[in-house]
Amino acid sequence: MLFLVRHGESTWNVEGRLQGQTMGVPLTVRGRRQAREAADLLVRAGMRRPVRLFSSDQARAAETAAIIAARVAVPVAFTPELREQSLGSLEGRLARGLSAQPIPEGAHVSEIAWGGGETIEQVWVRIASFTQTHLLPCPDDDVILVTHGTLLQVFLSYLEGRSHRDVDWDVLPRNGQVIIRALPAFPVPRP
């Protein structure tokens, strides 16, 4: 089984700032509580051994993963493959201060690198590579992934066999939320 965890609330979540791949954004007190609650839920979920735990190496996810690792008694493998979508020059800006930009004619919104960061297509390819490298070789292991909101939305699309153009943007996991999914039969679609 896959146990997908969105990091706990960060200081920039509270401020309404775009975080992207900014590395050092810490959790709030509430965010650490959400991480402990996620850890408790994971313990109650009855995971089978071996359990593997992977996390984004960004501070807000790494802190969440460390809390979970202590509770479920497994080491964390930190990886940049689970980082949030890079938002380039938009990172650190207040979301309420941004305005909608037009989509260039003939382009798909998921294939535009807003702020000079990553496209959704690039995130989709990154999570597909992570799955091929880390999940498929051991399909019977229970795996905990601690990561970020947009990456989780893209990963759920990937797991459900949809392309980067078909991400369900209406389903944003809450901070500290645990989503449980079976690893599907592969192959999945290519971008």
Side-chain angles (χ1 to χ4, degrees), residues 15-167:
E15 294 172 10
R17 293 188 185 280
L18 299 179
Q19 298 175 93
Q21 289 191 3
T22 302
M23 294 300 289
V25 181
L27 295 180
T28 62
V29 170
R30 180 178 184 208
R32 287 187 291 281
R33 185 182 74 244
Q34 290 169 332
R36 287 189 300 274
E37 290 168 356
D40 290 342
L41 189 150
L42 289 165
V43 168
R44 290 191 309 271
M47 293 176 290
R48 300 161 297 153
R49 298 294 173 162
V51 174
R52 295 183 296 143
L53 172 55
F54 294 93
S55 175
S56 161
D57 58 354
Q58 294 177 260
R60 58 198 185 269
E63 191 175 350
T64 301
I67 291 167
I68 290 169
R71 183 74 172 92
V72 300
V74 296
V76 184
F78 295 103
T79 176
E81 291 174 290
L82 294 177
R83 286 181 186 170
E84 181 60 288
Q85 177 189 17
S86 171
L87 298 173
S89 64
L90 299 176
E91 292 180 13
R93 293 186 56 190
L94 293 171
R96 66 180 172 269
L98 299 177
S99 58
Q101 299 295 309
I103 298 169
E105 188 174 330
H108 191 274
V109 68
S110 69
E111 296 159 3
I112 298 172
W114 300 107
E118 282 181 296
T119 67
I120 292 300
E121 180 181 22
Q122 290 170 316
V123 174
W124 196 98
V125 168
R126 180 159 44 97
I127 200 63
S129 174
F130 174 85
T131 300
Q132 297 291 325
T133 303
H134 299 288
L135 302 182
L136 292 185
C138 304
D140 296 327
D141 289 359
D142 282 342
V143 178
I144 303 167
L145 302 180
V146 181
T147 188
H148 308 270
T150 299
L151 188 127
L152 282 172
Q153 289 172 300
V154 174
F155 192 38
L156 289 169
S157 172
Y158 173 81
L159 290 174
E160 294 165 4
R162 292 182 276 122
S163 80
H164 65 281
R165 289 183 170 199
D166 300 311
V167 174

